[in-house]
Amino acid sequence: MTTVTDLSQPSESSIRDIVRQVISELRSGAIGAETAAPKRPSNAGKHGVFENVNEAVAASQEAFEQLERLGLEGRRKAIGHIRRISIEQCEELGRKEFEETQIGRLEHKIEKLKILGERTPGVEFLSSEVFSGDHGLAVIEHAPFGVIGAVTPITHSLPTITGNAVSMIASGNTVIVNPHPGGKRIAAEGVRLFNQAIHRDIGIDNLVSVIAEPTLETAADLFAHRGVKLICVTGGPAVARAALQSSKRAIVAGPGNPPVVVDESADLDRAARSIIYGASYDNNLLCISEKQVFVVASVFDQLMAAMERFGALRLTAAQVDALTKRAIVEVGEANHRHLAPCKELLGKDASLLAHAAGATHRDGLELVYGETDVSNPFVAVEQMMPFVPFVRCRNVDEAIDRAHESEHGFRHTAIIHSNNVRNMTRMGRLLDTTLFIKNGPCVAGLGLGGEGYLSFSIATPTGEGVTTPLTFTRQRRCTLVEDLRILGTATV
Ligand code: NAD
């Protein structure tokens, strides 16, 4: 009998030969060199400063994958450099931010960098949850999203980037920032320093990046890019709206207009000192700063006197009118026309405001204030200037209601000076704000003189609150059925 060999089917031995040959060529590198996809050129050396969004996203994705391989220790080292530079170089970087933005107060520009470097929560904030029961174990871990697209304000350009970068890298992400154009140079300089140090130490560049020439178009490109997995914006109404309208998940640290209520039970000296400290900090640029004060009539004059005693300058009614005309202006077109702080006075020194009001002033003045009607635009507009309007109210209920109205439903920050628990509770419930501070300056709400942790991105409309590394994570659950759990009967 003759056997016919089917030449179209390879024999078992010829398959074995082919496999052997492929393995040996793979080992020698011959096949890899010819057929593997060409290796992507590395983006190392840019130190986080990019001309366009596509390049930035590619570099940020590469950095994300590298960071993943280095585990928690890699993250710890990276944020350690960001902290160290923010603390050690706070004077030089703070001065440069002040020179570029021309708003706020130099000493606070410096202090903000230092405290964010010191106090933003890091890797230690991450914890996993475990459910253990008759059916085994479920572990919930907090995983990174990947590349985050961020927008930062002019009021704290590098400090916001510092705090965001620490939080986001602690949770294993990388971040690309479209900074405010008015603070773009200091943003790029800080980011370059951070990346150089991180790259030298752990070999990863571009963990935090900036768009060198940021515009509304580059912000839109960043929001829309497929490689960007999460958005985090810090700023006023326009950027908050843009982020909320994006198709991606957004963490929105939006605008505020924090009111203060002072009732008849308050410690008035303490209230005056707190209002002066909070409202004059960095010339009232903080989104949490005291912006308007509603005082019960029976203690109104005493509080006004206490403000003067602790160094603020009281303006007369005519001076308040003169300042209001200069400081609050109409902006926008047609239906979008609205009142806003004028750029020339935003974040400027109290002495300049006093001058604009026609008041005589002295060096080192921190805050000006005056009695106004509730309809004065300083009450409704987030002025970001060291002038605070004081409104006389019949009783605490009127003060709380007016405070509520002036906050515009932003649900950002509110403050009360009182020793009456019912008043505190009523205000807390009605205003429903993310931060509610009692008997202290606004900054106590961020753990500065109060308890809690620090961040300069307080997510208000989206509800995450004072952001932490956990804010920038996605939950992943790993379930093991029956086994591993050591409780139960000994017979397995
Ligand atoms: P801004 O709203 O003018 O600008 C903020 C950022 O958003 C800038 O980078 C700007 O270029 C960008 N931007 C503006 N419109 C945009 C749009 N349509 N699309 C994309 N990006 C856009 O505010 P600012 O003067 O830089 O900062 C002050 C504001 O930020 C205040 O309203 C303050 O309350 C708020 N703020 C909030 C927080 C918070 O944690 N909630 C912190 C700091 C500042």
Side-chain angles (χ1 to χ4, degrees):
M1 201 175 144
T2 30
T3 43
V4 179
T5 309
D6 179 358
L7 292 177
S8 66
Q9 298 294 320
S11 71
E12 208 178 294
S13 67
S14 68
I15 290 176
R16 253 200 306 273
D17 287 347
I18 293 168
V19 170
R20 239 183 245 121
Q21 192 184 342
V22 169
I23 289 172
S24 114
E25 285 181 10
L26 269 173
R27 281 196 181 131
S28 72
I31 285 187
E34 281 162 28
T35 58
K39 215 166 169 268
R40 274 181 304 176
S42 167
N43 292 287
K46 298 274 188 186
H47 301 316
V49 182
F50 291 90
E51 296 307 317
N52 73 66
V53 169
N54 278 337
E55 263 181 40
V57 175
S60 202
Q61 178 64 29
E62 182 188 16
F64 170 67
E65 288 163 18
Q66 292 171 326
L67 184 65
E68 221 170 14
R69 290 197 283 275
L70 292 194
L72 290 177
E73 198 44 34
R75 300 183 197 176
R76 255 186 219 108
K77 284 185 177 165
I79 63 178
H81 288 292
I82 299 175
R83 290 189 195 286
R84 181 182 53 74
I85 290 166
S86 298
I87 296 166
E88 285 177 5
Q89 302 193 33
C90 62
E91 297 214 358
E92 187 191 340
L93 293 170
R95 185 178 42 74
K96 286 185 173 168
E97 173 141 358
F98 182 64
E99 283 166 4
E100 181 180 3
T101 62
Q102 301 274 314
I103 54 174
R105 285 166 59 181
L106 176 59
E107 72 246 54
H108 297 144
K109 296 278 179 253
I110 294 169
E111 189 174 69
K112 286 191 297 184
L113 278 170
K114 186 163 176 290
I115 56 176
L116 279 158
E118 286 169 350
R119 299 194 187 194
T120 305
V123 174
E124 73 288 348
F125 216 84
L126 299 169
S127 59
S128 303
E129 289 98 54
V130 175
F131 290 81
S132 164
D134 291 345
H135 300 295
L137 287 179
V139 180
I140 296 174
E141 291 190 291
H142 298 275
F145 274 87
V147 177
I148 300 177
V151 172
T152 50
I154 190 170
T155 46
H156 339 281
S157 184
L158 188 55
T160 310
I161 295 176
T162 300
N164 281 179
V166 168
S167 278
M168 291 168 181
I169 295 170
S171 44
N173 302 283
T174 54
V175 53
I176 303 167
V177 181
N178 201 66
H180 191 290
K184 67 182 179 188
R185 288 202 304 277
I186 185 63
E189 172 152 2
V191 159
R192 195 177 287 118
L193 289 171
F194 296 158
N195 282 303
Q196 280 168 341
I198 296 169
H199 190 211
R200 260 196 310 273
D201 184 14
I202 62 172
I204 308 180
D205 199 2
N206 309 313
L207 283 177
V208 44
S209 304
V210 285
I211 303 301
E213 294 300 333
T215 61
L216 292 183
E217 288 69 38
T218 54
D221 289 349
L222 194 60
F223 289 177
H225 199 291
R226 283 184 61 185
V228 172
K229 303 299 182 205
L230 179 71
I231 294 169
C232 173
V233 304
T234 307
V239 71
R241 248 190 325 273
L244 289 168
Q245 282 164 5
S246 139
S247 57
K248 299 217 169 93
R249 166 144 187 244
I251 292 160
V252 178
N257 193 35
V260 184
V261 165
V262 184
D263 76 8
E264 52 277 83
S265 71
D267 174 337
L268 298 179
D269 282 2
R270 181 172 170 159
R273 279 199 311 267
S274 298
I275 294 167
I276 293 172
Y277 185 76
S280 69
Y281 193 90
D282 209 18
N283 284 344
N284 205 315
L285 290 181
L286 297 181
C287 58
I288 59 170
S289 279
E290 291 82 351
K291 297 281 191 295
Q292 61 279 349
V293 184
F294 301 94
V295 192
V296 169
S298 60
V299 293
F300 188 89
D301 294 331
Q302 278 168 271
L303 181 65
M304 296 299 263
M307 292 288 295
E308 209 154 19
R309 242 188 357 264
F310 290 110
L313 175 72
R314 183 173 183 172
L315 301 182
T316 64
Q319 289 166 343
V320 170
D321 280 351
L323 178 63
T324 308
K325 285 195 187 85
R326 286 282 312 280
I328 311 284
V329 293
E330 274 199 32
V331 296
E333 299 300 324
N335 289 344
H336 300 291
R337 211 142 173 80
H338 63 280
L339 292 172
C342 91
K343 289 226 165 69
E344 292 70 37
L345 291 179
L346 189 147
K348 297 296 185 194
D349 287 350
S351 55
L352 205 73
L353 301 189
H355 181 74
T360 41
H361 55 89
R362 49 185 163 67
D363 286 346
L365 180 65
E366 290 185 307
L367 189 75
V368 284
Y369 71 107
E371 180 171 2
T372 73
D373 203 77
V374 73
S375 61
N376 183 293
F378 265 111
V379 173
V381 173
E382 188 193 15
Q383 78 268 29
M384 293 183 274
M385 296 174 198
F387 169 79
V388 179
F390 279 62
V391 179
R392 196 186 290 257
C393 300
R394 281 189 311 280
N395 53 39
V396 72
D397 285 340
E398 183 191 345
I400 292 173
D401 290 344
R402 294 211 182 279
H404 180 220
E405 206 176 316
S406 74
E407 214 270 328
H408 307 302
F410 290 141
R411 299 200 292 179
H412 193 299
T413 296
I415 298 155
I416 189 168
H417 291 275
S418 170
N419 283 302
N420 180 321
V421 173
R422 288 209 167 153
N423 293 346
M424 293 177 182
T425 310
R426 175 161 184 261
M427 182 166 174
R429 288 188 181 160
L430 182 67
L431 272 77
D432 197 15
T433 46
T434 307
L435 299 182
F436 183 40
I437 298 130
K438 302 170 195 108
N439 299 329
C442 62
V443 291
L446 290 184
L448 305 168
E451 290 303 322
Y453 46 83
L454 176 67
S455 163
F456 268 21
S457 289
I458 303 152
T460 38
T462 48
E464 293 81 1
V466 182
T467 53
T468 74
L470 281 176
T471 310
F472 306 105
T473 58
R474 34 191 283 274
Q475 287 197 11
R476 296 185 60 197
R477 183 189 292 196
C478 185
T479 301
L480 187 66
V481 179
E482 289 174 6
D483 283 334
L484 201 67
R485 187 167 179 266
I486 53 173
L487 294 183
T489 60
T491 50
V492 182

